[in-house]
Amino acid sequence: MSDVRVRFAPSPTGYLHIGSARTALFNYLYARHTGGKFLLRIEDTDLARSTEESTNSILEGLKWLGFAPDEEIVFQSNNADKHRAAAMKLLEDGKAYRDFTPKAEPSDANVKDAIKERARAQGGDKNMRDNEYRDLSKDESDARAASGEPFAIRLKVPDAGKTSFEDQVYGPQERDYAETEDLVLLRSDGHPLYNLAVVCDDIEMQITHVIRGQDHLTNTHKQILIYEALGVTPPTFAHLPLIMAPNKGKLSKRKHGEVVSMTTYRDAGFIAAAFRNFLALLGWSAGEEREIYSLDELVEEFSLDGIHRSNAVFNFTEGDPRKWTDDKAIWMNAEYIRTMPLGELIPFVKPELNAAKLWRDEYEDDDKEWFENTINLIRQRFFTLKDFSSQGRAYFSEDFDFDAAAVEKNLKKFPDLKTWLPELATRFEVEFGDALQKPAREQGRNTQHSNKTFTEENIETVVKAFTEEKGTKLGVIMNGARTLLTGVAVGPSMLSVFETIGLERTLMRLRSQMAWNQSNET
Ligand code: GLU
């Protein structure tokens, strides 16, 4: 156990996107690595933009990724009284002041003009201290407040000096006080503003390390001013590099919504472990070439030192729906699907098949071995869990589509196949017919019921002899058979496909004219 306490503090104004998911991951890894605590705070102070739907979507995304907070979730809006009390204390201490500048209503053109005019006269933003109420005497300020005149509370940023801190990623940072305006802490309606709320909550939650996006750097200087005014030592800060679109532009929720939302990845058949692994490498490395890390390994290897200063790029092809996600993300997912222990993969495949109405309870019972072998075979070329129910459909159902390009290339280009493939079916029937008497699950490897089992080696002998007889190439027969048996042009070794589909279904499919009758346009 250590005293490290970090938090992930999303604003519920949208779903959990790539950038915030990575922030959550880095906080989570840091907490686990140091034996500290990982906390979650929903920053729902912007009432106009915060929605419950968005909170739920963030929680769902975090749940999918497996980042459960170690303490109860904090909702920032519940702490508004504490934020107000802090602002009042700063006012009492003379660290903040009441600003009686009338608040412009959207309809109030005169007041707006007057404010603009004053700003112009003050030289725009250049002189951020030139607020006529900054040095109002305490008595006058109190009297005006007592008379009911509305006011905002602003921090009184000291005239000379600078905020400075040692960023754990970007190194020493400083900013002259003169560059920061007297920020509003409390609006005239009593609503606490963002920077005050964050500081108060981080103090209350005893946060030791603030790990968040580099886009908060300016806020950090403002927040340090608030810490100083409150007389509290600020936490350690680590800012994370940005994640950019492929053209080095900003990744925007609006423009790249689909691409950046976490639930999209979940629903598209990504495996959380793979996606976490991918996210971890967006701006962090352990200083080695390696790319595959389990969660435990990430926890072990993670350090703030390994975070990069240069922006990470999320590489997808804009406008091309087939390339809607990052190349590495999809590669990583395929890698996990291909290599993870079967026992871990199958619990993900089951709901996928279930949703597609392809699941049968026998897969966990009498046909367990067949099912596991089949999943193991077909996963080799799959990229997402969806592939099990789409490209893999022919293994689990008679109702599958024929890819038009495959039909054209592998069947229609070789018209002889139209009679040859049914003939091959008859040849199989003659050679392996005995096996048909046995239940399907017993037709596979290691069964002794027939002299000749419908297994790879035996199938190969038969197909080779058949090919020679016809004076054609093995590829022609195999590709044609593959298209009839699976509907597509690529897949695992055709001998294992025959064996996996099994004799009975192989005969039926080789004889079927459905693909042959399919029109070219589909
Ligand atoms: N709520 C802020 C955001 O979603 C993060 C604040 C913080 O981490 O300090 O960007």
Side-chain angles (χ1 to χ4, degrees):
M1 267 313 209
S2 75
D3 59 2
V4 167
R5 291 170 65 86
V6 295
R7 84 300 195 276
F8 172 52
S11 303
T13 54
Y15 36 69
L16 187 67
H17 58 88
I18 299 273
S20 44
R22 190 211 36 192
T23 299
L25 171 68
F26 285 12
N27 275 285
Y28 180 84
L29 293 177
Y30 190 65
R32 290 289 97 88
H33 179 83
T34 55
K37 290 248 194 283
F38 169 74
L39 312 183
L40 176 60
R41 181 171 75 229
I42 302 289
E43 303 210 310
D44 54 349
T45 37
D46 184 344
L47 297 174
R49 292 174 59 225
S50 300
T51 66
E52 206 178 309
E53 188 193 349
S54 158
T55 299
N56 290 337
S57 148
I58 290 170
L59 295 179
E60 250 182 74
L62 291 175
K63 186 169 156 221
W64 178 61
L65 289 167
F67 307 148
D70 294 318
E71 290 176 10
E72 210 173 309
I73 302 174
V74 172
F75 287 86
Q76 187 157 65
S77 59
N78 291 344
N79 295 343
D81 284 344
K82 290 178 186 160
H83 306 153
R84 276 189 281 273
M88 295 318 282
K89 179 178 182 299
L90 290 174
L91 187 63
E92 283 297 301
D93 293 352
K95 302 282 171 72
Y97 62 93
R98 295 190 186 93
D99 179 359
F100 294 97
T101 309
K103 192 168 160 276
E105 296 303 329
S107 58
D108 204 343
N110 286 341
V111 176
K112 265 189 178 170
D113 283 349
I115 292 172
K116 262 197 214 147
E117 181 46 45
R118 197 181 77 186
R120 230 189 330 268
Q122 290 170 354
D125 284 344
K126 283 199 195 76
N127 188 349
M128 306 214 214
R129 303 286 164 265
D130 202 359
N131 184 305
E132 61 181 297
Y133 302 103
R134 191 171 207 260
D135 294 313
L136 206 63
S137 74
K138 184 171 183 323
D139 287 350
E140 192 183 342
S141 174
D142 287 351
R144 288 177 75 157
S147 77
E149 195 176 334
F151 58 86
I153 294 184
R154 283 183 185 272
L155 186 72
K156 196 169 188 176
V157 177
D159 291 323
K162 48 184 125 192
T163 44
S164 62
F165 66 96
E166 182 73 23
D167 190 86
Q168 299 303 296
V169 175
Y170 291 94
Q173 304 290 315
E174 23 171 83
R175 182 158 304 178
D176 210 280
Y177 287 164
E179 287 174 55
T180 304
E181 80 281 9
D182 282 348
L183 46 130
V184 176
L185 303 175
L186 217 60
R187 269 200 324 233
S188 58
D189 61 4
H191 187 83
L193 286 190
Y194 170 73
N195 283 304
L196 174 69
V198 170
V199 170
C200 290
D201 290 352
D202 282 341
I203 294 172
E204 166 108 357
M205 292 163 78
Q206 300 175 356
I207 298 304
T208 58
H209 294 72
V210 169
I211 304 171
R212 63 184 171 198
Q214 195 226 66
D215 47 330
H216 282 286
L217 215 51
T218 304
N219 281 329
T220 300
H221 286 282
K222 294 179 181 173
Q223 290 172 15
I224 288 178
L225 280 163
I226 301 176
Y227 278 105
E228 287 174 354
L230 289 168
V232 176
T233 310
T236 300
F237 292 97
H239 289 85
L240 307 176
L242 300 177
I243 302 176
M244 312 299 281
N247 58 6
K248 303 269 154 64
K250 236 179 138 214
L251 258 187
S252 88
K253 291 192 215 177
R254 200 169 41 80
K255 192 159 158 232
H256 306 112
E258 276 275 283
V259 172
V260 301
S261 157
M262 260 334 88
T263 42
T264 307
Y265 285 89
R266 182 197 60 190
D267 298 344
F270 275 73
I271 302 227
F275 207 75
R276 270 193 314 251
N277 191 159
F278 163 71
L279 280 177
L281 301 178
L282 277 179
W284 170 86
S285 67
E288 50 183 7
E289 289 289 292
R290 181 168 158 206
E291 300 199 285
I292 303 290
Y293 293 87
S294 69
L295 187 58
D296 285 348
E297 290 164 340
L298 286 174
V299 166
E300 171 81 27
E301 298 290 332
F302 189 78
S303 74
L304 298 178
D305 290 347
I307 298 173
H308 305 160
R309 290 185 184 185
S310 52
N311 290 336
V313 176
F314 191 75
N315 262 316
F316 58 98
T317 308
E318 287 207 49
D320 183 348
R322 288 162 307 171
K323 298 271 289 159
W324 67 276
T325 188
D326 186 282
D327 293 340
K328 190 149 163 190
I330 193 80
W331 169 81
M332 187 77 80
N333 206 52
E335 196 65 12
Y336 271 71
I337 286 182
R338 203 168 60 75
T339 59
M340 71 199 281
L342 213 50
E344 286 174 30
L345 177 64
I346 286 176
F348 292 118
V349 175
K350 180 177 172 181
E352 182 53 43
L353 294 184
N354 231 331
K357 302 203 163 42
L358 296 173
W359 175 257
R360 291 173 42 228
D361 287 340
E362 288 88 333
Y363 296 158
E364 280 173 338
D365 192 356
D366 286 352
D367 290 346
K368 189 166 192 274
E369 196 186 332
W370 175 85
F371 181 70
E372 288 179 359
N373 289 337
T374 301
I375 296 300
N376 196 30
L377 178 73
I378 61 182
R379 69 170 166 163
Q380 303 301 333
R381 285 163 181 268
F382 285 175
F383 289 91
T384 74
L385 294 169
K386 290 270 161 234
D387 292 342
F388 286 94
S389 63
S390 53
Q391 295 185 51
R393 192 175 173 89
Y395 293 86
F396 310 107
S397 167
E398 290 312 305
D399 175 21
F400 60 91
D401 293 332
F402 294 95
D403 172 62
V407 169
E408 200 48 45
K409 178 168 141 248
N410 292 340
L411 292 173
K412 296 197 174 164
K413 239 179 94 189
F414 304 98
D416 284 337
L417 289 174
K418 199 168 177 183
T419 50
W420 287 353
L421 292 173
E423 233 181 276
L424 177 63
T426 303
R427 185 70 51 90
F428 281 157
E429 199 171 20
V430 170
E431 298 283 345
F432 304 107
D434 274 4
L436 275 181
Q437 309 309 315
K438 315 293 169 210
R441 64 178 176 276
E442 288 176 26
Q443 289 174 26
R445 212 187 282 275
N446 301 330
T447 48
Q448 304 294 321
H449 300 286
S450 135
N451 295 343
K452 264 197 193 166
T453 51
F454 192 59
T455 46
E456 290 186 31
E457 231 174 281
N458 295 335
I459 297 167
E460 185 173 25
T461 313
V462 174
V463 178
K464 272 197 172 148
F466 184 81
T467 305
E468 268 168 38
E469 248 174 76
K470 298 298 176 200
T472 186
K473 290 200 201 100
L474 191 61
V476 171
I477 301 289
M478 291 299 206
N479 292 341
R482 180 188 298 286
T483 302
L484 285 186
L485 262 62
T486 65
V488 291
V490 289
S493 123
M494 197 48 212
L495 292 173
S496 40
V497 173
F498 277 126
E499 183 180 324
T500 303
I501 298 285
L503 181 57
E504 195 176 342
R505 294 194 296 173
T506 295
L507 298 184
M508 222 160 62
R509 292 180 189 185
L510 288 177
R511 285 168 175 154
S512 163
Q513 294 296 303
M514 232 152 69
W516 292 102
N517 296 338
Q518 178 170 292
S519 83
N520 288 349
E521 286 104 62
T522 47

